[in-house]
Amino acid sequence: MKRVAILGGGPAGAIAAEQLAAAGMRVALFDEKLAWEKPCGGGLTYKAYSQYPFLLDNPTPKRFVTETTLSAPRAGEVNLKLDEPLLIYSRFDLNRMLLERAERAGAQLEKTRVTGLERRGSGWALKTPGGVAEADFCIVATGARNPLRDVGTQLKPGDTMSALGYYVQGVQERIDIQFLPKLEGYIWIFPRCGHLSIGICGKGEPASALRKRLELYMMERGISWKDAAFYSHLLPSLETRSWKSNRVAGEGWMAVGDAAGLVDPITGEGLYYAIRSGDLAAGALLEAGGAGAEAHYRRLLRRDFAADLELGSRIAKRFFGGKFLLGAIPSRMVQFTRRSPRFSAIMQDLFAGKQPYLGLKRRLLQNLNGSLYEMLMSLGFAKVVPGRLFAKPENY
Ligand SMILES: Cc1cc2nc3c(=O)[nH]c(=O)nc-3n(C[C@H](O)[C@H](O)[C@H](O)COP(=O)(O)OP(=O)(O)OC[C@H]3O[C@@H](n4cnc5c(N)ncnc54)[C@H](O)[C@@H]3O)c2cc1C
């Protein structure tokens, strides 16, 4: 029986541990903290809980959010009802639930830090403060701040976003998303059980500047951060060229979740990709039985979602910094969501994770005429427009 060491017990590591232990492998999972409140919004989309229904069907506390407000400079705000709710967990609760599942499946959990990883023959020696553990195969799930230099994604400058915020007392039913001028990122307010997580993520701007932007936003809304717990962390946000050379696997190891850079470069969504990659890595190891598992994993990732995230990295700069009809794209997005039911349906699918980036351009173009028509109708251009500037779509 293979001995598999899982380094890191966040969602990516816990799922891999559960799958491998359930299939009869000897699995030891090492995490310096085990369940903890990792800085995170804790939001899971329909894409995640429809593929992993246990995320929905369990007694762990969570919030279902069915409404979001999107705001952007000079576009005001728009409310979007979510047909497929967003699920929000505290990360302590989510991590604990996933680790308990791994333990129930037979994985051995060790609360310790892995301080070094050394290749010994065809296996591995893992150094921990308590001694050395041996393994035949390693799954690297140590997150965005992976301290193990020889395994996992090599993040270059430009491949990360800063993300920080406050846990604030308060109650709110909806999610707020605020786009800001000249920022490749956004502010969010996520309602959680008993408090709000208010944060900002951004690329290419120092954390101190992001924090100022966030505090200004909170001040303008009368939200105090005095006595609120502050959090900050790194989010992988790979540039397109980094996707091409992304080091996700090597001889005797595979990296999953943030340690493999598997985060949506536009939204910062990482939980689904952590869970999915942990699942795919376990599947690759079980199917290939060791030899060739790394190449198999790379292929599975590519086929499943890595190509989509790579496309996301191409779109990101244009999305946050580009213009459409002379206006900033996030602002146009808010305006179109407000005025066009067709466009609003696309936004619904993007939020739910039902609309990948692959195919998005085509769908937007197919709906452009109809969306513009709806927008102009709602602005009262009914008499002027049909048949002139924009043709009335055929299915009207
Ligand atoms: C502020 C913020 C908000 C976010 N909001 C969302 C959101 O709402 N929705 C979403 O989908 N994604 C969100 N993300 C992204 C999401 O948090 C990550 O993508 C996700 O946690 C990745 O899971 P993981 O298991 O790969 O890594 P992690 O959750 O980071 O887990 C890594 C684990 O490894 C352990 N570890 C690290 N080094 C060692 C070591 N040497 N030895 C032993 N253990 C070690 C750590 O203790 C940790 O438990 C957010 C990220 C940030 C920073």
Side-chain angles (χ1 to χ4, degrees), residues 7-14 30-34 36 38-45 86 91 95 112-115 141-148 162-165 188 190 200 231-236 256-259 262-263 267-275:
L7 286 58
F30 301 83
D31 193 298
E32 56 189 330
K33 299 182 198 147
L34 290 177
W36 65 294
K38 193 236 153 186
C40 183
L44 283 159
T45 56
L86 199 83
R91 280 300 301 271
N95 284 23
T112 188
R113 182 171 174 80
V114 178
T115 52
T142 38
R145 289 191 177 133
N146 173 22
L148 306 165
S162 295
L164 54 93
W188 68 84
F190 270 28
I200 184 167
Y231 59 82
S232 89
H233 210 278
L234 211 60
L235 253 177
V256 291
D258 280 16
L262 303 173
V263 173
T267 62
E269 178 185 5
L271 287 171
Y272 167 74
Y273 301 107
I275 291 171

Side-chain angles (χ1 to χ4, degrees), residues 374-385:
E374 286 172 344
M375 176 131 178
L376 293 168
M377 290 303 104
S378 82
L379 286 167
F381 282 75
K383 294 198 179 84
V384 188
V385 173

Side-chain angles (χ1 to χ4, degrees), residues 9-319:
I15 288 282
E18 181 194 345
Q19 307 279 358
L20 291 169
M25 288 213 174
R26 272 168 60 198
V27 177
L29 180 150
F30 301 83
D31 193 298
E32 56 189 330
K33 299 182 198 147
L34 290 177
W36 65 294
E37 191 54 55
K38 193 236 153 186
C40 183
L44 283 159
T45 56
Y46 168 81
K47 176 174 60 184
Y49 61 77
S50 59
Q51 279 187 58
Y52 299 96
F54 72 83
L55 292 169
L56 208 55
D57 305 326
N58 63 65
T60 304
K62 54 189 141 336
R63 289 283 308 261
F64 292 86
V65 181
T66 55
E67 198 184 327
T68 180
T69 301
L70 305 173
S71 319
R74 279 183 251 161
E77 60 178 45
V78 61
N79 269 355
L80 185 67
K81 292 259 180 280
L82 302 175
D83 289 341
E84 313 290 1
L86 199 83
L87 206 56
I88 302 183
Y89 281 96
S90 93
R91 280 300 301 271
F92 177 82
D93 288 337
L94 178 66
N95 284 23
R96 185 172 57 180
M97 176 179 77
L98 297 175
L99 287 167
E100 281 173 0
R101 287 174 62 90
E103 199 168 29
R104 273 201 303 276
Q108 184 191 329
L109 308 189
E110 305 253 355
K111 188 171 181 182
T112 188
R113 182 171 174 80
V114 178
T115 52
L117 189 61
E118 205 176 276
R119 194 79 168 133
R120 290 221 181 129
S122 61
W124 294 98
L126 279 76
K127 290 186 194 145
T128 71
V132 174
E134 294 188 339
D136 299 304
F137 203 94
C138 282
I139 294 197
V140 182
T142 38
R145 289 191 177 133
N146 173 22
L148 306 165
R149 302 256 159 230
D150 299 330
V151 287
T153 297
Q154 297 160 294
L155 293 170
K156 298 186 195 73
D159 282 338
T160 59
M161 279 193 190
S162 295
L164 54 93
Y166 292 97
Y167 298 120
V168 172
Q169 290 307 312
V171 184
Q172 149 169 336
E173 291 305 314
R174 58 172 204 279
I175 287 171
D176 289 340
I177 305 281
Q178 171 76 55
F179 297 98
L180 301 167
K182 296 190 172 55
L183 179 68
E184 198 174 330
Y186 60 92
I187 286 176
W188 68 84
I189 301 183
F190 270 28
R192 286 178 152 199
C193 298
H195 65 276
L196 306 174
S197 166
I198 306 185
I200 184 167
C201 61
K203 196 165 183 177
E205 200 166 298
S208 54
L210 290 174
R211 190 167 177 173
K212 278 200 188 114
R213 285 195 193 244
L214 180 67
E215 289 175 354
L216 180 64
Y217 170 87
M218 291 170 76
M219 201 168 67
E220 283 170 359
R221 279 151 193 81
I223 306 170
S224 168
W225 57 90
K226 195 170 166 284
D227 301 328
F230 176 73
Y231 59 82
S232 89
H233 210 278
L234 211 60
L235 253 177
S237 174
L238 268 56
E239 297 283 347
T240 308
R241 63 179 177 280
S242 301
W243 281 105
K244 306 235 177 284
S245 56
N246 193 11
R247 195 176 61 173
V248 294
E251 210 183 308
W253 66 269
M254 294 185 266
V256 291
D258 280 16
L262 303 173
V263 173
D264 185 314
I266 299 178
T267 62
E269 178 185 5
L271 287 171
Y272 167 74
Y273 301 107
I275 291 171
R276 186 75 190 137
S277 59
D279 187 4
L280 294 177
L285 193 54
L286 292 170
E287 281 165 30
E294 303 87 346
H296 189 35
Y297 174 56
R298 271 197 212 97
R299 277 194 299 273
L300 289 178
L301 270 186
R302 187 89 203 148
R303 211 182 307 151
D304 201 283
F305 64 77
D308 199 52
L309 294 188
E310 184 181 327
L311 178 59
S313 73
R314 280 181 209 281
I315 298 174
K317 285 218 164 32
R318 265 178 282 160
F319 172 75

